[in-house]
Each structure stands twice: as C-alpha cells, then as structure tokens.
Amino acid sequence: MSMIKSPDEIARMNEAGRVVANALAAVRSAAGVGVTLKELDEVAASLISDAGATPAFLNYHPRWASVPFSGVICTSVNDAVVHGVPNEYKLQDGDLLSVDCGAFLDGWCGDAAVSFIVGTANPEDIALIEATEAALARGIDAARVGNKMGDLAYAIGGAARRAGYGLLADHGGHGIGRTMHAEPAVPNEGRPGRGIKLTEGLVIAIEPMLILGGKDDYYHDDDEWTLRSASGRRAAHSEHTVAITADGPVILTLP
C-alpha cells in the first residue's frame, strides 16, 4: 500500500480527522471531578456513531497484545502515559488526563490526542502539557517536503530533552491512512539529516509523549494495555494527523 496520498484522499482523511477532533472536544467538555473514564468513553462512542464513523481503537488487537482493547478512546491518568483503558475510575481534582482517539470514516482514519487537567491545576503539570504541545508543534512545523525524518524527530525531542523531560521509550508516531498504523515510523527523538526524506502526500500521526523527571522507561498495568511511567511521575500526550503538502504541513485533526 502506497504511503503517498492524493489530494482527494487527504481531503477524505480530513473528514475522518474532524470526527476525531469533535470527539476529543466533547470528551474534554464532559470531563470533571467525579466523572468516570467509562462515561467519557460513552461520550466519544456516541459522537463517533452519530457522525457515521467507526471507532479505530475498539477491539483493536495487535499481535503483541494478549487481549483486544476494550474502549473507544484511551484515557490515561497521571502516571499512565498512553493506552489507558476506560474503566470506572472517577476523576479527581487535579488529575492529569490524556485522551487519545481514532476513527474511520468511509475507510479513512484520523488519530489525535490531547492532555488537560481536571479541576485544580498544578503549575508543574501545566508546564508538562505545554511542553508536550510545543513538541508537537515543532514536529508539525518540521513536516515539510525535503526534510528528513530525523529533522522532524529532533524537532520534537531535542528541546524536550534539554528541558529535562523524559520521552516514552519504544513509542512514537506512525504513518496513517486506510489503516491506523502504517509505515513510516515517526520517532520522537533523532538526528537531523537522517532517515527517509519527507515527500508530498505523506500523511503521518505525530505524537510526543513526555514524562516528568527525565526518565523514559515504563511498565504495563494489570489490564495489559495501560503504560505507566516506571518512575511514577506524570506524563502528557499530544497528537495530530498531519499531511505533508507542497504548501507546508496541514493538520487533518482539527474541528
């Protein structure tokens, strides 16, 4: 399957991305102290269904997982970095919640994530989220024709490392299109001038995952999906699906 998408295909991916963006906005609006992660999952499920789309995460079962994913969204709280399974946990004041969402519409996939504080915000958590969003913005800006993947990866991770944040080990972004995960891999750390050349029509999901304290390691929770920082420190996750065009990067997962 070609990694390169035509303008028409990118436009169709943009429609899928809009569904994802609206689902994330609805989840963020519904989140509050006392709301369960399962209730937020139901909010996303309803919006995706009403849009005529299909959840990308529900029952996703890659070869490395012993059980399929049971949620429509990933809900990762505090030291959970990514892949948090929606359950009956009730959000508490000050929780840092990362929400990841994917959806298929007419055979095309969109994928995005956002992190935010529920209730009272700790300045350290605010700085972490801002640093993660800034890393994403740098990666998007580097997603230009003629750059190398290493340029994009360095844009994401270089400043994050210098600021003292960890980058989740073994994980990064990915190509996306007819499938949620495709070539090429999009690392969050790399060397400028290395890797494949970024070309017009390439569509990728860029997703930095930053951890307080500078450590990268993690462990799997008992649900076999949730990845928690080994240090117990909080983490944040930001993601957009981005098309590389002759006119520069285009974010496909906006409302």
Side-chain angles (χ1 to χ4, degrees):
M1 185 179 298
S2 173
M3 293 189 294
I4 303 304
K5 311 298 187 296
S6 70
D8 179 67
E9 290 171 333
I10 290 172
R12 295 172 70 182
M13 290 189 70
N14 197 6
E15 293 302 312
R18 187 172 291 112
V19 174
V20 170
N22 289 335
L24 287 173
V27 168
R28 184 167 188 164
S29 179
V33 175
V35 176
T36 70
L37 301 179
K38 189 64 176 176
E39 288 171 332
L40 295 181
D41 196 63
E42 292 166 357
V43 168
S46 178
L47 191 145
I48 291 171
S49 177
D50 289 348
T54 304
F57 297 172
L58 184 62
N59 296 321
Y60 179 59
H61 196 177
R63 285 177 294 178
W64 53 263
S66 60
V67 294
F69 192 77
S70 60
V72 169
I73 55 176
C74 297
T75 51
S76 305
V77 182
N78 297 334
D79 64 320
V81 190
V82 289
H83 303 166
V85 178
N87 54 29
E88 297 301 328
Y89 175 81
K90 292 183 178 181
L91 291 167
Q92 301 178 29
D93 187 47
D95 277 346
L96 194 167
L97 175 61
S98 297
V99 182
D100 193 355
C101 181
F104 284 95
L105 181 66
D106 297 330
W108 295 96
C109 191
D111 189 6
V114 64
S115 296
F116 56 90
I117 306 297
V118 177
T120 307
N122 181 304
E124 186 177 49
D125 293 340
I126 293 174
L128 169 63
I129 292 172
E130 290 178 345
T132 308
E133 292 174 344
L136 174 59
R138 291 192 302 271
I140 293 171
D141 187 61
R144 297 181 182 274
V145 174
N147 277 354
K148 296 289 188 69
M149 189 64 78
D151 299 322
L152 189 156
Y154 181 75
I156 293 171
R161 284 288 189 204
R162 291 191 294 272
Y165 293 105
L167 295 161
L168 181 66
D170 310 322
H171 290 76
H174 49 89
I176 185 170
R178 287 288 192 178
T179 60
M180 180 167 57
H181 294 131
E183 294 296 330
V186 183
N188 287 327
E189 196 166 25
R191 296 177 63 182
R194 300 294 182 90
I196 67 167
K197 183 176 288 188
L198 305 181
T199 57
E200 183 177 357
L202 183 64
V203 181
I204 54 178
I206 303 173
E207 51 178 321
M209 294 154 274
L210 271 56
I211 304 171
L212 286 171
K215 302 295 184 181
D216 303 349
D217 45 335
Y218 63 92
Y219 67 94
H220 282 85
D221 209 344
D222 292 342
D223 61 25
E224 301 185 43
W225 272 97
T226 305
L227 302 186
R228 296 189 179 276
S229 66
S231 64
R233 302 295 302 275
R234 292 187 171 197
H237 178 204
S238 294
E239 178 182 15
H240 272 307
T241 298
V242 179
I244 299 173
T245 78
D247 296 324
V250 176
I251 301 173
L252 303 181
T253 40
L254 293 174

